[in-house]
Amino acid sequence: MALFIAAALLPGCTARPATPPAPPGDTFRAQLVEQVTADGAWVHIEALQSIADATGGNRASPGPGYDASVDHVAGVLREAGFDTTTPVFTLRSDDRRPITLRNVVAQTRTGDPERVVVAGAHLDSVPDGPGINDNASGVAALLEVATRMGGSPPTTNAVRFAFWAAEERNLDGSAAYVESLSRSERRAIILYLNADMAASPNAGYFVQGGFGDEADETGPEGSEVVGRTLVEELAATGATAETAAFDDESDHDAFIEAGIPTGGVFSGADNAKTDAQAARWGGRAGVDFDPCYHSACDRAEGIDRRVLDDFTDALAGTVARFATATDPLAH
Ligand code: DTR
Ligand code: ZN
Ligand code: ZN
């Protein structure tokens, strides 16, 4: 039985509770975790790999591979019944010619739109490769959760899935999106969940949200509930998570800056796995979590499907628990 966490107050504004997740035995959560599969996520990995292969080997934004990735993801979400938009923003750039890019934002038609669970992943790659572990893996995991949940689930709260442009260019897509929100739209977001790299070939299971000593490491109050829920949901797959401090290196940053409770998962990039980590998770000590990080070899063949399965389950369980939380939201 999960512990229910008392509401937390953010300094300087009205109450934003740390939403207590539903118990792990909750039917909606159990069904969603049961329904999502690595095979389902794999369909999107293959689609994004094919897009990169057809567009010069990458999905960098701006670029044709990114545009095709947006069209794929938006099409999947529309087909699944979500209210789907592709809001445009102008890239911060030194160039004289302004560059416009699209994020993808898809929301359930059910659930309270004043209580929104937002889950996001960046959809762009670096120019040097197809960006499959970084970050077709996070995209695929969330698309699998979204499509199994469908656009009209029986949840208390609305759920919004977001796929960001230009993470690899200063986190511009998520930053522009959060900047575009009104004060009341920001206050309606009860938490943000980030998935950036979820199937590294020599994977770790890292969770951010509420861990660390400084405020910029833990995230805003309430983030510890998100982080703890992710750890619990990974444990339910059999994976022991390692907790990590937030840095400013992914799309969680804009949400943290906006004071929104935030959590994230990460399977490791260009750091070597330690002996202790290899003992805990398997894999090879002394070898990078992802030897193909930001390289042309970051392809579908390198994906660890078991790790993708674990993270997809954990994201499904976490989204479901917060989407069905019924504690009163004081504004
Ligand atoms: N910014 C990511 C890689 C990355 C580095 N540290 C973290 C921590 C949490 C998530 C992701 C990352 C990239 O897209 O390259
Ligand atoms: Zn990257
Ligand atoms: Zn990334």
Side-chain angles (χ1 to χ4, degrees):
M1 187 61 139
L3 284 179
F4 277 27
I5 311 302
L9 297 181
L10 276 181
C13 64
T14 46
R16 185 203 293 280
T19 306
D26 171 73
T27 311
F28 180 73
R29 173 209 165 271
Q31 284 175 349
L32 190 63
V33 172
E34 181 65 30
Q35 283 167 356
V36 300
T37 66
D39 287 348
W42 186 253
V43 171
H44 305 296
I45 298 273
E46 283 191 320
L48 294 169
Q49 178 68 67
S50 298
I51 286 170
D53 290 342
T55 56
N58 71 66
R59 301 182 302 100
S61 62
Y66 183 72
D67 288 340
S69 299
V70 167
D71 293 341
H72 171 75
V73 168
V76 166
L77 291 161
R78 286 198 180 106
E79 184 72 19
F82 285 83
D83 182 4
T84 306
T85 59
T86 55
V88 170
F89 68 97
T90 304
L91 202 56
R92 289 180 259 167
S93 150
D94 296 336
D95 295 343
R96 282 195 199 123
R97 191 174 53 86
I99 300 167
T100 57
L101 282 172
R102 292 176 294 167
N103 290 317
V104 181
V105 179
Q107 187 156 320
T108 52
R109 297 175 193 277
T110 49
D112 185 350
E114 297 300 315
R115 291 168 52 95
V116 190
V117 174
V118 182
H122 74 84
L123 184 53
D124 63 318
S125 74
V126 290
D128 286 342
I132 300 303
N133 183 40
D134 182 21
N135 184 36
S137 63
V139 171
L142 290 185
L143 278 182
E144 172 66 353
V145 175
T147 53
R148 299 293 175 178
M149 178 185 278
S152 301
T155 55
T156 324
N157 308 320
V159 182
R160 185 181 305 160
F161 292 94
F163 300 90
W164 311 117
E167 191 271 355
E168 303 287 10
R169 297 182 58 140
N170 280 327
L171 316 173
D172 275 6
S174 52
Y177 178 75
V178 174
E179 269 170 39
S180 78
L181 299 176
S182 68
R183 190 175 148 79
S184 62
E185 286 170 332
R186 286 180 204 189
R187 281 162 47 88
I189 299 173
I190 57 180
L191 66 104
Y192 175 67
L193 196 53
N194 194 54
D196 186 356
M197 305 178 74
S200 299
N202 188 35
Y205 291 87
F206 297 100
V207 169
Q208 295 167 303
F211 307 110
D213 299 324
E214 309 292 330
D216 61 346
E217 294 180 335
T218 61
E221 211 164 348
S223 302
E224 70 282 2
V225 185
V226 189
R228 196 178 315 136
T229 304
L230 286 164
V231 170
E232 286 177 13
E233 289 293 336
L234 277 170
T237 74
T240 305
E242 190 173 302
T243 59
F246 276 122
D247 48 33
D248 56 3
E249 291 195 42
S250 191
D251 297 301
H252 48 243
D253 196 50
F255 291 85
I256 291 170
E257 292 296 316
I260 295 165
T262 296
V265 291
F266 175 51
S267 58
D270 54 352
N271 289 342
K273 188 176 270 189
T274 65
D275 289 339
Q277 288 168 333
R280 188 179 310 134
W281 296 321
R284 298 172 65 195
V287 174
D288 283 358
F289 294 108
D290 183 358
C292 286
Y293 177 63
H294 284 185
S295 305
C297 63
D298 179 10
R299 298 182 54 83
E301 300 88 89
I303 290 295
D304 186 320
R305 287 174 77 131
R306 186 181 59 84
V307 176
L308 182 63
D309 195 30
D310 293 341
F311 276 113
T312 304
D313 281 354
L315 287 164
T318 302
V319 168
R321 283 168 68 173
F322 285 109
T324 52
T326 52
D327 66 313
L329 235 193
H331 274 277

